[in-house]
Structures are given as C-alpha cells and as structure tokens.
Amino acid sequence: MPDQIKNNKITSNGEQSNPVMVEVTRGNMVESIHRAAYAVVDSDGKVVLSGGDYEKITYGRSAIKCLQALPLIETGAADAFNLTDAEISIACASHDGQPRHVDTVATWLKKIGCSADDLECGSHLPYHTASMIELLRSGGTESTLHNNCSGKHAGFLTVCKQMGVDSKGYVKYEHPLQQRILGAMESMCGLDLGNAPRGHDGCGIPVIGVPLANIALAMARFADPSDQPENRQEACARITKAIAAEPFMIAGSDRFCTKIIEATKGRALIKTGAEGVYTGIIPELGLGIALKADDGVTRSAETLIGMILKKLKVIDPLTAESLQSVLEPPIFNRAGLQVGQIRAAQNAPF
C-alpha cells in the first residue's frame, strides 16, 4: 500500500535509511558514492515514488523560491507594477549574474522606485565565469545585483510596496512580508510551521524546516492547484508559466536547471537549492518532487533529479540521449581525457 500524507503529516510504511543513489567512477572502479532521499507526491498527498527517509525535516533553501514568490502575485503586486515573465522567473531564481540577469533586476528596481542599495541580500561576484572576468576587466565591482538571489529580493521589495509596509528589515522572520510567506508555505506544505526549525539562508532570509515529502506536496500543489483558492490557482499558473517561458532567468546559460527546462520545453520545472536540495514541478502529471543529498553535494542532486525525470518519462529516451553529458556527466582530467563518470547507482531504488 503506498505511503500517504494524511492529516497534515506523513505516514510511512516503515523506517527507511537513505540508499546510495549516485556513484562516481574513475577507471573501472566506483570511487565515491552519494546517499540521498527523495519523494514524488501528487496534490492529494499520495507518495507515488520514493526512496530513503523522505520524512526527514529539511531546509528547502533556494529550491522553494517559487513558494516565496506567491505573495508577489497574490497581493496584486505583479499586476500593479506590470511585471514581465522574465521578472517573475528571476524572482524564483538562483541566477549566475550574467548581464541579462543583472540588467533585468536593475530595471525592475527602477520600476518600483528602489535601487540596489535597498536589497538586503548582500553581494558577491557573478557565478558565471566569463561575466565575472568581464566585470573585473572593466574595473567593475561586485554588487547586490550580482547576488544570485537578487531577483527574489526585488520581488520582496515589490510586495512591501504593494502591502504598504516599510521594507527595511524585510529579511527578518517577524517582518510582515516573511510572515505572509510563512502562511503561504504552511498552506502549500499542509503543515503548521510555527514551531518548525528555522535558521537563515545565505541571502539572509529565514529558512524553515519542513519534511521532504511535504516540500514535494507543495510542488505538487503548484503543478495541480485545483483544490486551492482561486487567487492561489492563478498565482501558481502564472509563476509556472513564467519559469517555462524564461528558463534562462531561473539559473543561467551553463546551468543544469535552465538546460533541463529548455530541453523538456517546460514539462519539468526544476530548481536547485544549497546543500544538495532539488525540487521539481511536473504540471502535466500533477506531481511534485523534492530530494536531498545527504552530503549536500550538487552533482549528486542533479544526477538524481535527472534519474527521477527519466523514470517519470518526462525526459524521453531521445531527449535523454541528447542530454547524456548533462544527466550523467563525464569526468575529465587536466589534459582533457575522460577518466570517469557521475551516474545512477546500480541499485538505486526506482
């Protein structure tokens, strides 16, 4: 009998330990392994595919930015400021700081009467190597616009404007904006999160501990929000449409998330988070995905979500063949010789 999320909590058929999901080879030997847990859930709370301890409380990190973007639509802020698909997509992004990312956020801030100084996310150099080199070569310096979360924070400022609240300190747990986001998370995850573990993300905002399968449930409700209030249905539809239309904004030209969304033509809307977390929204199947690599390594999380998408047939064999170097990346030495591969573990539970 399948596991089920019932009465706002998860019931499991038994205690599970996390299996080896991904292995890394060198020569003819497996050199490293990665353990992980994952859950694929429908909007009714049925766990349709799983492996490992999917009840474990997990910080969703940047993989749940679409949940944090719900107030951007639900408050009317997106309409009030005529936000584009690109702006809504980058509100859900962990972008690489490429010029189009930076320009989009800068233009958006000007539209709402704010500047980069109003962003409370901190600054870092672009993650995109060529963009970083060009910035430094031209005498530029890092700014909050280059922060991979600057789009999310521009969204937060926009909601504050629409709500008529002081934006200063919007990253604090007790700020009206963060309380509204918490309410949206509780509704989508099906849990009271008032006493949930919490900390701070790399960009300063609160992170809330949620069981992995409940994060998957929230993604499933994005995929199929038919049992949600009308304004929530509209918000989910608008956000997923924007991400599918503007996959570059969600990550960048060299990034796994963008490549998968582009290759599947929006059938799989996936999002990475720090510490080996990944989520996925599969609109045509009404399914949500959440996974966490035990060791927090992104390479294993990317390979695992690719495995799940292939299992669900969202990535068909022809697309999988074209994405082979992305889904199971080769490992090269400094001389350019392939010496290994990151791949699905032979006994991964699927």
Side-chain angles (χ1 to χ4, degrees):
M1 183 177 180
D3 296 343
Q4 184 87 9
I5 299 175
K6 295 179 180 177
N7 300 322
N8 292 337
K9 66 179 183 178
I10 305 162
T11 58
S12 173
N13 288 335
E15 184 177 350
Q16 302 179 57
S17 58
N18 290 344
V20 176
M21 297 286 189
V22 175
E23 58 190 25
V24 183
T25 68
R26 186 171 294 269
N28 59 3
M29 176 181 114
V30 174
E31 184 176 34
S32 300
I33 58 173
H34 298 283
R35 296 182 181 274
Y38 74 93
V40 181
V41 176
D42 68 19
S43 60
D44 292 326
K46 180 181 176 183
V47 181
V48 300
L49 194 67
S50 65
D53 181 10
Y54 57 80
E55 297 183 24
K56 185 176 181 180
I57 294 176
T58 302
Y59 287 137
R61 304 297 298 269
S62 290
I64 61 165
K65 284 181 177 175
C66 60
L67 296 176
Q68 296 161 341
L70 284 169
L72 185 61
I73 312 299
E74 293 177 353
T75 62
D79 286 333
F81 292 97
N82 298 311
L83 297 190
T84 64
D85 282 345
E87 289 163 339
I88 293 171
S89 182
I90 206 168
C92 305
S94 299
H95 66 74
D96 264 359
Q98 293 178 252
R100 189 181 171 213
H101 295 132
V102 175
D103 292 345
T104 297
V105 177
T107 301
W108 181 0
L109 290 172
K110 187 178 295 185
K111 184 188 297 188
I112 64 173
C114 292
S115 73
D117 292 337
D118 295 304
L119 299 174
E120 298 182 6
C121 54
S123 63
H124 59 67
L125 288 168
Y127 289 157
H128 185 253
T129 302
S131 298
M132 177 185 67
I133 292 171
E134 181 56 33
L135 176 69
L136 296 175
R137 180 183 289 136
S138 66
T141 58
E142 66 183 52
S143 82
T144 54
L145 295 174
H146 299 112
N147 188 299
N148 71 103
C149 298
S150 65
K152 176 178 70 176
H153 284 250
F156 290 166
L157 289 172
T158 307
V159 176
C160 288
K161 290 277 187 179
Q162 182 68 9
M163 292 174 64
V165 299
D166 186 1
S167 65
K168 188 174 182 179
Y170 68 82
V171 297
K172 295 180 179 179
Y173 181 83
E174 62 272 13
H175 191 279
L177 168 71
Q178 296 302 332
Q179 288 299 300
R180 178 153 191 149
I181 291 171
L182 177 63
M185 286 183 59
E186 288 182 327
S187 175
M188 294 291 277
C189 295
L191 294 172
D192 179 351
L193 298 173
N195 295 316
R198 68 178 191 251
H200 293 278
D201 214 326
C203 67
I205 68 162
V207 288
I208 312 295
V210 179
L212 196 62
N214 287 85
I215 296 174
L217 173 62
M219 297 303 117
R221 287 175 169 167
F222 252 97
D224 176 14
S226 57
D227 66 345
Q228 298 296 301
E230 186 174 344
N231 69 330
R232 179 63 50 80
Q233 293 182 40
E234 293 171 356
C236 291
R238 188 163 178 183
I239 290 169
T240 54
K241 171 183 173 292
I243 296 171
E246 292 282 358
F248 170 80
M249 286 296 175
I250 207 73
S253 57
D254 299 331
R255 294 275 298 284
F256 186 87
C257 296
T258 293
K259 289 178 179 179
I260 296 299
I261 297 170
E262 287 177 341
T264 62
K265 297 180 171 59
R267 295 177 67 203
L269 306 176
I270 64 168
K271 181 68 184 68
T272 187
E275 297 300 325
V277 180
Y278 243 97
T279 60
I281 300 168
I282 315 298
E284 69 185 60
L285 300 178
L287 297 177
I289 304 168
L291 64 87
K292 171 75 168 75
D294 286 0
D295 55 14
V297 175
T298 298
R299 71 180 184 184
S300 58
E302 290 178 344
T303 298
L304 177 53
I305 200 161
M307 293 158 57
I308 294 168
L309 294 175
K310 286 193 289 185
K311 177 67 176 180
L312 296 173
K313 299 182 180 179
V314 178
I315 293 179
D316 58 46
L318 188 61
T319 303
E321 184 177 351
S322 69
L323 289 171
Q324 178 62 26
S325 64
V326 176
L327 296 173
E328 295 192 330
I331 295 173
F332 297 98
N333 67 10
R334 295 295 183 184
L337 176 69
Q338 182 175 345
V339 295
Q341 186 178 36
I342 306 168
R343 68 187 187 190
Q346 291 186 359
N347 296 319
F350 283 98

